[in-house]
Short mmCIF file of all heavy atoms in Angstrom, two decimals:
data_model
loop_
_atom_site.label_atom_id
_atom_site.label_comp_id
_atom_site.label_asym_id
_atom_site.label_seq_id
_atom_site.Cartn_x
_atom_site.Cartn_y
_atom_site.Cartn_z
N ILE A 1 101.76 55.76 -73.75
CA ILE A 1 102.07 55.98 -75.15
C ILE A 1 103.53 55.57 -75.39
O ILE A 1 104.41 55.87 -74.59
CB ILE A 1 101.89 57.47 -75.52
CG1 ILE A 1 100.43 57.89 -75.29
CG2 ILE A 1 102.30 57.73 -76.96
CD1 ILE A 1 99.43 57.19 -76.18
N TYR A 2 103.77 54.88 -76.52
CA TYR A 2 105.15 54.50 -76.83
C TYR A 2 105.34 54.40 -78.34
O TYR A 2 104.37 54.35 -79.09
CB TYR A 2 105.51 53.18 -76.16
CG TYR A 2 104.77 51.96 -76.66
CD1 TYR A 2 105.27 51.18 -77.70
CD2 TYR A 2 103.56 51.57 -76.09
CE1 TYR A 2 104.60 50.05 -78.16
CE2 TYR A 2 102.88 50.44 -76.52
CZ TYR A 2 103.41 49.68 -77.56
OH TYR A 2 102.73 48.57 -78.00
N TYR A 3 106.60 54.37 -78.75
CA TYR A 3 106.91 54.07 -80.14
C TYR A 3 107.86 52.88 -80.15
O TYR A 3 108.56 52.61 -79.17
CB TYR A 3 107.50 55.28 -80.87
CG TYR A 3 108.96 55.56 -80.57
CD1 TYR A 3 109.96 55.11 -81.43
CD2 TYR A 3 109.34 56.28 -79.44
CE1 TYR A 3 111.29 55.37 -81.16
CE2 TYR A 3 110.67 56.54 -79.17
CZ TYR A 3 111.64 56.08 -80.04
OH TYR A 3 112.96 56.32 -79.76
N LEU A 4 107.87 52.14 -81.25
CA LEU A 4 108.75 50.99 -81.41
C LEU A 4 109.97 51.44 -82.18
O LEU A 4 109.88 51.84 -83.34
CB LEU A 4 108.02 49.87 -82.15
CG LEU A 4 108.65 48.49 -82.11
CD1 LEU A 4 108.73 47.98 -80.67
CD2 LEU A 4 107.85 47.50 -82.96
N SER A 5 111.14 51.41 -81.53
CA SER A 5 112.36 51.95 -82.11
C SER A 5 113.19 50.83 -82.76
O SER A 5 112.74 49.69 -82.91
CB SER A 5 113.17 52.68 -81.03
OG SER A 5 114.24 53.40 -81.61
N ASN A 6 114.41 51.17 -83.12
CA ASN A 6 115.33 50.24 -83.77
C ASN A 6 116.20 49.57 -82.70
O ASN A 6 117.08 50.19 -82.13
CB ASN A 6 116.20 50.99 -84.77
CG ASN A 6 117.10 50.07 -85.57
OD1 ASN A 6 117.24 48.89 -85.25
ND2 ASN A 6 117.71 50.59 -86.62
N HIS A 7 115.94 48.29 -82.43
CA HIS A 7 116.68 47.58 -81.38
C HIS A 7 118.05 47.10 -81.84
O HIS A 7 118.84 46.61 -81.04
CB HIS A 7 115.87 46.39 -80.89
CG HIS A 7 115.68 45.31 -81.91
ND1 HIS A 7 114.85 45.45 -82.98
CD2 HIS A 7 116.25 44.08 -82.02
CE1 HIS A 7 114.89 44.34 -83.72
NE2 HIS A 7 115.73 43.50 -83.16
N ILE A 8 118.35 47.24 -83.13
CA ILE A 8 119.63 46.76 -83.66
C ILE A 8 120.74 47.76 -83.38
O ILE A 8 121.86 47.38 -83.02
CB ILE A 8 119.51 46.48 -85.17
CG1 ILE A 8 118.48 45.38 -85.42
CG2 ILE A 8 120.85 46.10 -85.76
CD1 ILE A 8 118.16 45.15 -86.88
N ASN A 9 120.44 49.05 -83.54
CA ASN A 9 121.47 50.09 -83.39
C ASN A 9 121.56 50.59 -81.95
O ASN A 9 121.35 51.78 -81.68
CB ASN A 9 121.19 51.26 -84.34
CG ASN A 9 121.34 50.87 -85.79
OD1 ASN A 9 122.04 49.92 -86.11
ND2 ASN A 9 120.68 51.58 -86.67
N ILE A 10 121.87 49.69 -81.02
CA ILE A 10 122.00 50.06 -79.61
C ILE A 10 123.42 49.76 -79.16
O ILE A 10 123.89 48.62 -79.23
CB ILE A 10 120.97 49.32 -78.73
CG1 ILE A 10 119.55 49.79 -79.10
CG2 ILE A 10 121.25 49.57 -77.26
CD1 ILE A 10 118.46 49.20 -78.25
N ALA A 11 124.11 50.80 -78.70
CA ALA A 11 125.50 50.69 -78.26
C ALA A 11 125.55 50.71 -76.73
O ALA A 11 124.53 50.72 -76.05
CB ALA A 11 126.32 51.84 -78.84
N THR A 12 126.77 50.74 -76.19
CA THR A 12 126.91 50.76 -74.75
C THR A 12 128.04 51.72 -74.33
O THR A 12 128.48 52.56 -75.12
CB THR A 12 127.14 49.34 -74.19
OG1 THR A 12 127.03 49.36 -72.77
CG2 THR A 12 128.50 48.78 -74.58
N GLU A 13 128.49 51.57 -73.12
CA GLU A 13 129.50 52.44 -72.51
C GLU A 13 130.72 52.61 -73.43
O GLU A 13 131.29 51.66 -73.94
CB GLU A 13 129.95 51.82 -71.18
CG GLU A 13 131.06 52.55 -70.47
CD GLU A 13 130.60 53.85 -69.82
OE1 GLU A 13 129.39 54.01 -69.61
OE2 GLU A 13 131.47 54.68 -69.52
N GLY A 14 131.10 53.88 -73.65
CA GLY A 14 132.31 54.18 -74.40
C GLY A 14 132.15 54.26 -75.89
O GLY A 14 133.04 54.78 -76.58
N ALA A 15 131.06 53.75 -76.44
CA ALA A 15 130.86 53.79 -77.88
C ALA A 15 130.47 55.20 -78.31
O ALA A 15 129.78 55.91 -77.58
CB ALA A 15 129.77 52.81 -78.30
N PRO A 16 130.91 55.64 -79.48
CA PRO A 16 130.56 56.99 -79.93
C PRO A 16 129.06 57.16 -80.13
O PRO A 16 128.37 56.25 -80.60
CB PRO A 16 131.29 57.12 -81.28
CG PRO A 16 132.38 56.10 -81.23
CD PRO A 16 131.83 54.96 -80.42
N MET A 17 128.56 58.31 -79.72
CA MET A 17 127.17 58.69 -79.99
C MET A 17 127.11 59.20 -81.42
O MET A 17 127.69 60.23 -81.75
CB MET A 17 126.77 59.79 -79.01
CG MET A 17 125.34 60.26 -79.11
SD MET A 17 125.00 61.50 -77.78
CE MET A 17 123.34 62.02 -78.24
N PRO A 18 126.47 58.46 -82.34
CA PRO A 18 126.53 58.82 -83.76
C PRO A 18 125.80 60.11 -84.08
O PRO A 18 124.79 60.43 -83.45
CB PRO A 18 125.86 57.62 -84.44
CG PRO A 18 124.93 57.07 -83.41
CD PRO A 18 125.62 57.28 -82.09
N TRP A 19 126.33 60.82 -85.06
CA TRP A 19 125.70 62.06 -85.53
C TRP A 19 125.34 61.88 -86.99
O TRP A 19 126.20 61.95 -87.86
CB TRP A 19 126.65 63.25 -85.36
CG TRP A 19 125.97 64.58 -85.45
CD1 TRP A 19 125.18 65.03 -86.46
CD2 TRP A 19 126.02 65.64 -84.48
NE1 TRP A 19 124.72 66.31 -86.20
CE2 TRP A 19 125.22 66.71 -84.98
CE3 TRP A 19 126.64 65.79 -83.25
CZ2 TRP A 19 125.06 67.90 -84.29
CZ3 TRP A 19 126.48 66.97 -82.57
CH2 TRP A 19 125.70 68.02 -83.07
N PRO A 20 124.06 61.63 -87.30
CA PRO A 20 123.67 61.38 -88.70
C PRO A 20 124.00 62.54 -89.61
O PRO A 20 123.95 63.71 -89.21
CB PRO A 20 122.16 61.17 -88.60
CG PRO A 20 121.89 60.82 -87.18
CD PRO A 20 122.92 61.56 -86.38
N GLY A 21 124.31 62.21 -90.87
CA GLY A 21 124.65 63.25 -91.83
C GLY A 21 123.50 64.19 -92.14
O GLY A 21 123.73 65.31 -92.60
N TYR A 22 122.27 63.76 -91.91
CA TYR A 22 121.10 64.60 -92.21
C TYR A 22 120.65 65.44 -91.01
O TYR A 22 119.64 66.12 -91.08
CB TYR A 22 119.94 63.73 -92.68
CG TYR A 22 119.62 62.57 -91.76
CD1 TYR A 22 118.92 62.75 -90.56
CD2 TYR A 22 120.03 61.28 -92.07
CE1 TYR A 22 118.63 61.69 -89.71
CE2 TYR A 22 119.76 60.21 -91.23
CZ TYR A 22 119.05 60.42 -90.06
OH TYR A 22 118.78 59.36 -89.22
N CYS A 23 121.38 65.36 -89.90
CA CYS A 23 120.96 66.01 -88.66
C CYS A 23 121.80 67.24 -88.35
O CYS A 23 123.03 67.21 -88.45
CB CYS A 23 121.06 65.00 -87.51
SG CYS A 23 120.92 65.70 -85.85
N GLU A 24 121.14 68.32 -87.94
CA GLU A 24 121.84 69.53 -87.52
C GLU A 24 121.85 69.67 -85.99
O GLU A 24 122.78 70.25 -85.43
CB GLU A 24 121.16 70.77 -88.13
CG GLU A 24 121.19 70.83 -89.64
CD GLU A 24 122.57 71.12 -90.21
OE1 GLU A 24 123.44 71.58 -89.43
OE2 GLU A 24 122.78 70.87 -91.41
N VAL A 25 120.82 69.17 -85.33
CA VAL A 25 120.67 69.33 -83.88
C VAL A 25 120.52 67.95 -83.24
O VAL A 25 119.45 67.35 -83.25
CB VAL A 25 119.46 70.22 -83.52
CG1 VAL A 25 119.38 70.42 -82.02
CG2 VAL A 25 119.55 71.56 -84.25
N LEU A 26 121.62 67.45 -82.68
CA LEU A 26 121.62 66.14 -82.03
C LEU A 26 121.35 66.32 -80.54
O LEU A 26 121.88 67.22 -79.90
CB LEU A 26 122.97 65.46 -82.23
CG LEU A 26 123.12 64.06 -81.63
CD1 LEU A 26 122.20 63.07 -82.32
CD2 LEU A 26 124.57 63.59 -81.72
N ASP A 27 120.52 65.43 -79.99
CA ASP A 27 120.17 65.52 -78.57
C ASP A 27 120.24 64.15 -77.93
O ASP A 27 120.25 63.11 -78.59
CB ASP A 27 118.76 66.10 -78.43
CG ASP A 27 118.51 66.73 -77.05
OD1 ASP A 27 119.44 66.76 -76.22
OD2 ASP A 27 117.37 67.18 -76.81
N TYR A 28 120.28 64.16 -76.60
CA TYR A 28 120.28 62.96 -75.77
C TYR A 28 118.99 62.95 -74.95
O TYR A 28 118.33 63.98 -74.80
CB TYR A 28 121.49 62.99 -74.82
CG TYR A 28 121.60 64.30 -74.08
CD1 TYR A 28 120.92 64.52 -72.88
CD2 TYR A 28 122.36 65.36 -74.60
CE1 TYR A 28 120.99 65.74 -72.22
CE2 TYR A 28 122.44 66.58 -73.94
CZ TYR A 28 121.76 66.77 -72.76
OH TYR A 28 121.82 67.98 -72.12
N GLU A 29 118.64 61.79 -74.40
CA GLU A 29 117.48 61.70 -73.51
C GLU A 29 117.79 60.67 -72.43
O GLU A 29 117.95 59.48 -72.72
CB GLU A 29 116.22 61.31 -74.30
CG GLU A 29 115.87 62.35 -75.38
CD GLU A 29 114.46 62.19 -75.92
OE1 GLU A 29 113.52 62.12 -75.11
OE2 GLU A 29 114.31 62.14 -77.15
N LEU A 30 117.89 61.12 -71.19
CA LEU A 30 118.20 60.25 -70.06
C LEU A 30 116.95 59.50 -69.62
O LEU A 30 115.96 60.12 -69.19
CB LEU A 30 118.78 61.07 -68.91
CG LEU A 30 118.97 60.36 -67.56
CD1 LEU A 30 119.78 59.08 -67.71
CD2 LEU A 30 119.64 61.31 -66.57
N GLU A 31 117.00 58.18 -69.69
CA GLU A 31 115.86 57.35 -69.34
C GLU A 31 116.32 56.15 -68.50
O GLU A 31 117.52 55.87 -68.38
CB GLU A 31 115.17 56.83 -70.61
CG GLU A 31 114.76 57.92 -71.60
CD GLU A 31 113.94 57.40 -72.75
OE1 GLU A 31 113.38 56.28 -72.62
OE2 GLU A 31 113.85 58.09 -73.78
N ILE A 32 115.35 55.44 -67.96
CA ILE A 32 115.58 54.17 -67.31
C ILE A 32 115.04 53.08 -68.21
O ILE A 32 113.91 53.17 -68.70
CB ILE A 32 114.89 54.12 -65.93
CG1 ILE A 32 115.51 55.16 -65.00
CG2 ILE A 32 114.98 52.72 -65.32
CD1 ILE A 32 114.74 55.37 -63.71
N GLY A 33 115.85 52.05 -68.47
CA GLY A 33 115.44 50.96 -69.33
C GLY A 33 115.19 49.69 -68.53
O GLY A 33 115.97 49.36 -67.62
N ALA A 34 114.12 48.99 -68.83
CA ALA A 34 113.79 47.71 -68.19
C ALA A 34 113.91 46.60 -69.22
O ALA A 34 113.45 46.74 -70.35
CB ALA A 34 112.37 47.74 -67.61
N VAL A 35 114.53 45.49 -68.81
CA VAL A 35 114.70 44.33 -69.68
C VAL A 35 113.81 43.20 -69.17
O VAL A 35 113.86 42.83 -68.00
CB VAL A 35 116.17 43.87 -69.70
CG1 VAL A 35 116.31 42.60 -70.55
CG2 VAL A 35 117.07 44.97 -70.27
N LEU A 36 113.01 42.67 -70.06
CA LEU A 36 112.10 41.60 -69.69
C LEU A 36 112.86 40.28 -69.57
O LEU A 36 113.71 39.97 -70.41
CB LEU A 36 111.01 41.47 -70.75
CG LEU A 36 109.62 41.00 -70.31
CD1 LEU A 36 109.04 41.99 -69.30
CD2 LEU A 36 108.71 40.88 -71.52
N ALA A 37 112.54 39.50 -68.53
CA ALA A 37 113.19 38.20 -68.33
C ALA A 37 112.24 37.03 -68.56
O ALA A 37 112.69 35.89 -68.69
CB ALA A 37 113.77 38.11 -66.91
N ARG A 38 110.93 37.31 -68.62
CA ARG A 38 109.95 36.26 -68.80
C ARG A 38 108.88 36.73 -69.79
O ARG A 38 108.61 37.93 -69.88
CB ARG A 38 109.30 35.88 -67.47
CG ARG A 38 110.28 35.20 -66.53
CD ARG A 38 109.68 34.92 -65.15
NE ARG A 38 110.68 34.29 -64.29
CZ ARG A 38 111.63 34.94 -63.65
NH1 ARG A 38 111.72 36.26 -63.76
NH2 ARG A 38 112.51 34.30 -62.90
N PRO A 39 108.27 35.81 -70.52
CA PRO A 39 107.25 36.21 -71.50
C PRO A 39 106.00 36.73 -70.81
O PRO A 39 105.67 36.35 -69.68
CB PRO A 39 106.97 34.91 -72.26
CG PRO A 39 107.36 33.82 -71.32
CD PRO A 39 108.50 34.35 -70.50
N LEU A 40 105.29 37.59 -71.53
CA LEU A 40 104.03 38.16 -71.02
C LEU A 40 103.00 38.20 -72.13
O LEU A 40 103.34 38.39 -73.31
CB LEU A 40 104.25 39.58 -70.50
CG LEU A 40 105.06 39.80 -69.23
CD1 LEU A 40 105.25 41.30 -69.00
CD2 LEU A 40 104.40 39.14 -68.03
N ARG A 41 101.76 38.06 -71.74
CA ARG A 41 100.64 38.33 -72.65
C ARG A 41 99.42 38.61 -71.78
O ARG A 41 99.10 37.83 -70.88
CB ARG A 41 100.38 37.15 -73.59
CG ARG A 41 99.30 37.46 -74.64
CD ARG A 41 99.07 36.30 -75.58
NE ARG A 41 98.02 36.60 -76.55
CZ ARG A 41 98.21 37.18 -77.73
NH1 ARG A 41 99.44 37.50 -78.11
NH2 ARG A 41 97.20 37.42 -78.54
N ASN A 42 98.76 39.72 -72.04
CA ASN A 42 97.61 40.14 -71.23
C ASN A 42 97.96 40.11 -69.73
O ASN A 42 97.20 39.60 -68.91
CB ASN A 42 96.40 39.23 -71.51
CG ASN A 42 95.87 39.41 -72.92
OD1 ASN A 42 95.79 40.52 -73.44
ND2 ASN A 42 95.51 38.30 -73.55
N ALA A 43 99.09 40.68 -69.41
CA ALA A 43 99.60 40.61 -68.04
C ALA A 43 98.94 41.62 -67.12
O ALA A 43 98.55 42.72 -67.54
CB ALA A 43 101.10 40.86 -68.03
N THR A 44 98.81 41.26 -65.86
CA THR A 44 98.45 42.21 -64.82
C THR A 44 99.71 42.99 -64.44
O THR A 44 100.83 42.55 -64.74
CB THR A 44 97.93 41.49 -63.58
OG1 THR A 44 99.01 40.71 -63.02
CG2 THR A 44 96.75 40.59 -63.92
N PRO A 45 99.57 44.15 -63.78
CA PRO A 45 100.77 44.85 -63.33
C PRO A 45 101.67 43.98 -62.44
O PRO A 45 102.90 44.07 -62.54
CB PRO A 45 100.20 46.05 -62.57
CG PRO A 45 98.91 46.33 -63.25
CD PRO A 45 98.36 44.97 -63.59
N ALA A 46 101.07 43.15 -61.59
CA ALA A 46 101.88 42.28 -60.73
C ALA A 46 102.68 41.29 -61.57
O ALA A 46 103.86 41.01 -61.28
CB ALA A 46 100.98 41.54 -59.74
#
């Protein structure tokens, strides 16, 4: 299961973690990110 997020608003090391004006409870989520280097369609796991 996944959702498609906003790929434009992605920062990196040292950039402030934004706190939206409409938000009262801001949270973080530690994940591992994978970057694709080659195109895929109907791919096998290999």
